[in-house]
Amino acid sequence: MIGAIAGDIIGSVYEFRHRGTKSKDFTLFGPFNHFTDDSVLTIAIARAILDGRGYQECALELGRRYPHAGYGGAFKTWLYSPDPQPYHSWGNGSAVLAEAAASAAFSHDHPEGIKGAQATALAIWLARHGASKAEIREDIETTFGYDLQR
């Protein structure tokens, strides 16, 4: 959790500029770094799990508390809708295999969004259990049909 939020803040200066940079020479926490929607929604998902509440309920609560965190247009529309419904987004940010589909479905219910959430969760689970990069690549390609070759 701390790593995810620290990574979000550290990478925030690159989110819409300098994409794909490979430099290892950068400031970790400078004057232009800030938390983004990724931190807000990571905390919302953690709160839902820890408090036994619904993912959507927590996402709406925290998302509305931090309206300028950098949400995409469709998500922001969803966030302020009087009756928020899934809107077939392809994006993902969820990463707990057993919960990946449920945590993505309230806003990213497009099959590719859910598949991406599950692939992310599987990759993390495999890495935490000692799988090599090659094994992770093979499992993700086989399970989800992704081509991860460059």
Side-chain angles (χ1 to χ4, degrees):
M1 186 80 185
I2 292 171
I5 293 170
D8 178 47
I9 294 169
I10 293 164
S12 66
V13 295
Y14 301 100
E15 189 161 351
F16 297 106
R17 298 172 301 174
H18 313 294
R19 285 191 147 168
T21 186
K22 299 289 185 185
S23 174
K24 294 180 182 176
D25 182 26
F26 58 88
T27 302
L28 289 180
F29 297 103
F32 301 108
N33 295 88
H34 55 87
F35 69 87
T36 74
D37 57 328
D38 296 327
S39 288
V40 172
L41 296 174
T42 295
I43 293 167
I45 296 302
R47 180 175 284 177
I49 292 167
L50 293 172
D51 295 348
R53 295 170 57 199
Y55 293 119
Q56 180 169 318
E57 173 189 358
C58 290
L60 288 167
E61 178 183 304
L62 283 181
R64 289 174 178 169
R65 188 176 301 168
Y66 298 98
H68 303 294
Y71 309 106
F75 185 84
K76 202 164 194 175
T77 299
W78 174 86
L79 190 60
Y80 290 101
S81 170
D83 182 27
Q85 298 296 316
Y87 52 92
H88 301 292
S89 172
W90 283 44
N92 79 80
S94 309
V96 178
L97 187 56
E99 299 294 324
S103 67
F106 69 85
S107 65
H108 295 78
D109 69 324
H110 187 282
E112 289 299 320
I114 290 176
K115 187 168 90 169
Q118 291 173 323
T120 301
L122 178 59
I124 292 168
W125 187 88
L126 290 168
R128 290 190 55 126
H129 288 84
S132 69
K133 288 180 185 179
E135 291 169 325
I136 294 169
R137 180 183 300 115
E138 182 179 339
D139 278 2
I140 297 300
E141 287 180 333
T142 301
T143 304
F144 298 102
Y146 289 147
D147 179 2
L148 300 179
Q149 305 300 318
R150 288 187 178 223

